[in-house]
Amino acid sequence: MEEQDKQTRTVTDDEEKVEAKAEAETADSIEVIDAKEEEVETDKTNHSTIEQSELDTLQKEKDEIYQRMLRVQAEFNNFKKRTLKERDAERKYKSQDLIQELLPALDNFERALQVEKTEATSSLIDGITMVYNQLKDALFSQGVEEIATVDEEFDPNLHHAVMQVEDGEKASNVIVEELQKGYKLKDRVIRPAMVKVNK
């Protein structure tokens, strides 16, 4: 019986050793698993921090590109409007250079028509009048207008005062005489009228 007790104790000791060894291995495994879980958590935290940083950088770049795109679009719209405005002005005043070249000829026709009409010059003056009227009609069809002068109030935007006179019958700052006709093309003055103004 003693021997049986010895064997039982040996078996029990062996079992306890096996159990202790199993417990130690289990504890080691748990520690390894815990360490690996901590590593995974750390990696996840680091990874999410890196991802968030990259996301913030990409968001910032996107915002900058969007702002740049808005500026470029606004500049393009301004360019488009400016180009349309310039094109309209160009169309509106396209004949200005030609008209300015023709105004001295118109002045010469007016001077020629101031010659006294006699029997000898009658047909010549009639021909000059006809050409003068055609030229005037052509200019007026392009939007040319004569600037009103005599008995009008002096306007420095429309008139060029070359002399001042004293006339008691007229109000102050009123045009007394026109020395050279002035012309407007639509709403733009292409040549101011030369006038005498009452003081």
Side-chain angles (χ1 to χ4, degrees):
M1 197 144 191
E2 261 180 54
E3 205 173 296
Q4 208 176 7
D5 283 341
K6 249 187 189 177
Q7 276 183 350
T8 306
R9 271 189 247 148
T10 306
V11 170
T12 307
D13 286 344
D14 285 344
E15 284 177 1
E16 285 175 8
K17 283 180 188 176
V18 169
E19 279 180 26
K21 188 176 179 183
E23 282 177 16
E25 284 177 3
T26 304
D28 286 346
S29 295
I30 291 174
E31 284 177 17
V32 168
I33 289 172
D34 286 346
K36 284 190 178 184
E37 283 178 359
E38 283 177 21
E39 266 181 45
V40 168
E41 283 297 317
T42 306
D43 283 350
K44 281 183 183 177
T45 306
N46 289 342
H47 192 62
S48 72
T49 305
I50 291 168
E51 284 179 351
Q52 187 61 42
S53 172
E54 288 176 357
L55 190 62
D56 291 344
T57 304
L58 289 174
Q59 183 65 38
K60 187 177 176 184
E61 285 177 14
K62 181 202 128 229
D63 292 343
E64 287 173 5
I65 290 169
Y66 181 73
Q67 290 301 319
R68 197 175 318 142
M69 189 259 320
L70 286 178
R71 279 193 298 275
V72 167
Q73 189 174 15
E75 286 174 11
F76 177 72
N77 286 338
N78 290 339
F79 169 76
K80 218 161 99 177
K81 288 175 188 174
R82 191 171 54 248
T83 304
L84 287 173
K85 199 182 235 183
E86 287 170 0
R87 194 178 307 144
D88 288 346
E90 190 177 306
R91 274 192 220 125
K92 189 175 183 180
Y93 304 112
K94 70 180 176 184
S95 56
Q96 181 175 344
D97 292 338
L98 177 62
I99 291 166
Q100 284 177 318
E101 294 290 326
L102 291 175
L103 289 181
L106 200 62
D107 294 339
N108 289 333
F109 273 114
E110 288 170 1
R111 285 187 205 98
L113 292 173
Q114 289 173 355
V115 172
E116 189 178 324
K117 194 172 186 181
T118 64
E119 202 174 297
T121 60
S122 175
S123 61
L124 181 63
I125 289 176
D126 288 344
I128 291 173
T129 303
M130 198 166 53
V131 174
Y132 171 72
N133 288 334
Q134 284 179 331
L135 184 58
K136 241 176 130 175
D137 290 343
L139 292 175
F140 293 143
S141 72
Q142 292 299 312
V144 175
E145 303 171 33
E146 287 182 9
I147 296 173
T149 53
V150 178
D151 294 330
E152 296 287 326
E153 185 157 339
F154 176 75
D155 181 354
N157 297 316
L158 302 173
H159 308 113
H160 177 66
V162 290
M163 292 176 69
Q164 280 193 326
V165 294
E166 285 190 41
D167 188 345
E169 295 176 10
K170 304 237 181 198
S172 178
N173 206 32
V174 169
I175 297 169
V176 176
E177 186 182 341
E178 178 181 73
L179 302 174
Q180 185 183 45
K181 285 187 177 180
Y183 296 94
K184 289 193 315 184
L185 175 61
K186 297 182 171 79
D187 56 351
R188 182 186 287 178
V189 175
I190 55 175
R191 185 175 82 182
M194 292 174 68
V195 294
K196 286 183 188 178
V197 182
N198 195 29
K199 285 187 181 180

